[in-house]
């Protein structure tokens, strides 16, 4: 249940409404937005009387929140969340954030070379997997801790924040020290224990939609992180599994609109994993920006043909530069900056 305060309410009225909710046995989350102030009830709302609360001074209206996610719900927090990922980069404002880099960290030359190239084209953050969730146990599994150190070198060389995937809480303390954004991959969307553990930190989390996750399941996973106290969640649509096999997955751009309506969290789109084909990435990146995404995650490799992972969907630095030009034009059409 949420209480929406009237414009121009007094502090005393706010305190009164909060106390009345607490007396009903719930915890109260106050969200003070630019235009609206909201009190959200957390916990069992059985003891709250909607009608009585609606008559309190300063209260405009009381709404029931029927969705099972609360902290991630826009009704609890009408203004868009903007997540600070370090080095002056924010996700969720008017400026789009482009995160680019190889699927996997392979070598110092590769990582620093690609990081410098994508930065020169306008990327604001870099990616690279050090721990890779591969379908086959015989495939390249990532460079592990050495990969994290190479990412740190690239971070120092370019002053860009690092985004990389955490697969196990065994590496959590390393990630907390070394990386700027922890990616929870599609395959771990419902690893609830991992979600709770990253929820107990304040690290920004890039939460990729699961291969077969509904929008509600995806938001419930965001709720797991937020319910433990970490509000810094960035959603990432990366395609879902459908009957179609021509593309690696099916990019669900309608999810961007749905999630932005249902939640205040920023959402970025990863057309690389969605399409699985490099030549489609630019078109779908433009479409994602037109649809209202807050940013993009793009795989870029210095030598896609010889990449150890996901070469077929990786752009060269030159192709990435061309994508950025196109994305800038589309962003301007929808009133966003890159
Ligand atoms: C990745 O970003 O490299 C990755 C493995 O993505 P996903 O979890 O979306 O498959
Ligand atoms: Mn990949």
């Amino acid at each position: 249940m949420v209480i929406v305060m009237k414009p121009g309410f007094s502090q005393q009225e706010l305190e009164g409404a909060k106390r009345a909710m607490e007396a009903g046995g719930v915890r109260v989350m106050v969200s003070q937005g630019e235009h609206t102030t909201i009190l959200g009830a957390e916990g069992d709302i059985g003891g709250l009387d909607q009608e009585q609360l609606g008559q309190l001074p300063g209260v405009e209206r009381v709404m029931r929140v029927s969705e099972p996610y609360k902290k991630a719900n826009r009704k609890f927090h009408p203004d868009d969340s903007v997540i600070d990922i370090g080095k002056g980069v924010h996700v969720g404002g008017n400026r789009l954030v482009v995160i680019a880099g190889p699927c996997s960290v392979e070598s110092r030359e590769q990582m620093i070379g690609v990081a410098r190239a994508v930065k020169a084209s306008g990327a604001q953050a870099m990616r690279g997997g050090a721990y890779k969730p591969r379908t086959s146990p015989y495939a390249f599994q990532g460079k592990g801790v050495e990969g994290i150190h190479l990412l740190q070198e690239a971070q120092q060389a370019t002053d860009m924040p690092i985004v990389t995937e955490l697969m196990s809480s065994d590496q959590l303390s390393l990630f907390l020290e070394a990386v700027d954004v922890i990616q929870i991959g599609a395959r771990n969307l419902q690893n609830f224990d991992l979600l709770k553990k990253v929820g107990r930190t304040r690290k920004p989390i890039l939460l990729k939609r699961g291969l077969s996750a509904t929008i509600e399941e995806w938001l419930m996973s965001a709720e797991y992180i937020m319910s433990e106290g970490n509000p810094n969640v960035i959603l990432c649509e990366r395609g879902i599994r459908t009957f179609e096999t021509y593309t690696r997955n099916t990019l669900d751009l309608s999810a961007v609109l749905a999630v932005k309506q249902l939640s205040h969290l920023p959402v970025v789109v990863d057309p690389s994993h969605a399409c699985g084909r490099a030549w489609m990435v630019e078109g779908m990146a433009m479409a994602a920006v037109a649809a209202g995404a807050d940013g993009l995650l793009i795989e870029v490799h210095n030598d896609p043909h010889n990449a150890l992972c996901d070469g077929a969907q990786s752009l060269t630095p030159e192709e990435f530069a061309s994508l950025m030009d196109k994305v800038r034009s589309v962003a301007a059409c929808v009133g966003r900056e890159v």
Side-chain angles (χ1 to χ4, degrees), residues 61-136:
R61 67 196 138 96
V62 182
M63 298 184 295
R64 277 187 178 270
V65 177
S66 47
E67 296 85 2
Y69 46 91
K70 310 291 177 195
K71 293 195 178 212
N73 200 314
R74 197 179 272 286
K75 287 182 190 148
F76 261 58
H77 190 295
D79 291 348
D80 287 341
S81 277
V82 178
I83 315 290
D84 180 349
I85 64 167
K87 314 246 176 247
V89 181
H90 295 85
V91 186
N94 193 53
R95 188 163 180 206
L96 300 174
V97 171
V98 181
I99 305 163
C103 182
S104 322
V105 182
E106 296 173 12
S107 69
R108 176 174 293 114
E109 297 65 42
Q110 173 231 23
M111 199 57 233
I112 295 184
V114 171
R116 286 200 168 123
V118 298
K119 183 174 182 175
S121 301
Q124 290 174 59
M126 64 176 157
R127 60 151 288 141
Y131 295 87
K132 295 301 306 173
R134 302 305 300 277
T135 304
S136 165

Side-chain angles (χ1 to χ4, degrees), residues 228-304:
E228 292 290 334
N230 188 352
N232 301 313
V233 179
I234 301 160
L235 300 166
C236 178
E237 162 61 40
R238 46 77 72 205
I240 48 174
R241 190 164 276 192
T242 65
F243 56 80
E244 184 54 70
T245 55
Y246 182 78
T247 47
R248 184 175 180 184
N249 291 286
T250 297
L251 183 60
D252 182 8
L253 282 184
S254 62
V256 173
L257 284 92
V259 147
K260 289 200 72 73
Q261 163 107 331
L262 297 169
S263 175
H264 52 90
L265 296 173
V267 56
V268 304
V269 169
D270 169 359
S272 305
H273 290 89
C275 301
R277 294 174 185 254
W279 66 270
M280 289 185 163
V281 171
E282 183 178 278
M284 294 316 272
M286 290 193 288
V289 170
D294 296 303
L296 297 166
L297 185 86
I298 309 283
E299 284 192 343
V300 180
H301 195 283
N302 51 320
D303 180 10

Side-chain angles (χ1 to χ4, degrees), residues 94 96 286 289-290 324-338:
N94 193 53
L96 300 174
M286 290 193 288
V289 170
M324 288 299 285
D325 286 341
K326 299 266 175 67
V327 160
R328 265 187 213 100
S329 318
V330 176
C333 293
V334 292
R336 306 285 295 259
E337 292 168 55
V338 185

